[in-house]
Amino acid sequence: MFDNIFGIHEQALMVQGQRMGVLAGNLANADTPGFKARDIDFAAVLSSQSQGDRALPLAATDSAHITLSGTDPATADVKYRNPYQASLDGNTVEMPVEQAAFSETNVRYQASLNFINSRISELTLAINGS
Amino acid sequence: MSLFDVFNVSGSAMNAETIRLNTTASNLANAESVNGDPTKVYRARHPVFQAVMNSEMGLDDAAGASSGVRVMGVVESTTPPIQTYEPNNPLADKDGYVYTSNVNSIEEMANMISANRSFATDVEAVNTARDLLLKVISMGH
């Protein structure tokens, strides 16, 4: 029963945290010529995760074997963003888009935290009985 | 934990923007500098930013996801200095010309606003990451 107390939110926190790091990198490079903005597609990671549980994993018997990307939440695949308007210096960071994505990730992260906190207080209530 | 990377990434960006603000201040301060020799007159300086991967910053980053910024170098503008005829100026050359620095004040003001905005955004990112991490610490209380 206690294997999966927090459900998906445990992994969700990890991926959202990673996405936040990527978006902070985009914001940091807003003035870097030639920088390509990147992002993590949460839905894609989620579906690859849920399929990954069912699919047979690839056995890595040699150190030279390459693991499939996207099967490990710690290495969720990072993709390049398509800019709405290309800039002359090759930079694809669009401030409003990045800021919106950043605050969205912020809210989603807090939502997952809230779910985990409610689960904890629920279980504490069940244990204490008062 | 990638949320901790936000501090390093945004911190490097704030450092780079500070250098940009410093060069802007230097350019504006020298906007009216004159010299009798066109090769010795002050020229506008601009930093060149470059993305730096987390692995280069010595951070653990399996996905190669987030990246900071560093100032690759500071380049001097190649715009020719402005030549004016001022025979009474003690700095004038033998033909009576002085050369004013090639700083474009309007360009520098725009640069300053851009650096200011980017710095504010980075501070906001750091604050958000800090708030979230504090909430993670107090999880279950």
Side-chain angles (χ1 to χ4, degrees), chain B residues 16-63:
Chain B
E17 298 294 350
T18 308
I19 291 172
R20 190 177 172 200
L21 264 181
N22 274 336
T23 54
T24 302
S26 163
N27 290 344
L28 284 174
N30 285 289
E32 303 300 328
S33 294
V34 291
N35 202 307
D37 186 349
T39 58
K40 283 184 183 156
V41 72
Y42 181 90
R43 284 170 182 275
R45 282 135 213 253
H46 296 116
V48 180
F49 287 0
Q50 187 189 37
V52 40
M53 288 302 152
N54 269 1
S55 48
E56 285 182 69
M57 287 161 78
L59 298 172
D60 174 48
D61 189 16

Side-chain angles (χ1 to χ4, degrees), chain A residues 53-77:
Chain A
D53 288 343
R54 267 178 264 128
L56 285 173
L58 283 180
T61 52
D62 191 280
S63 59
H65 285 170
I66 301 165
T67 52
L68 280 176
S69 66
T71 51
D72 181 7
T75 57
D77 39 350

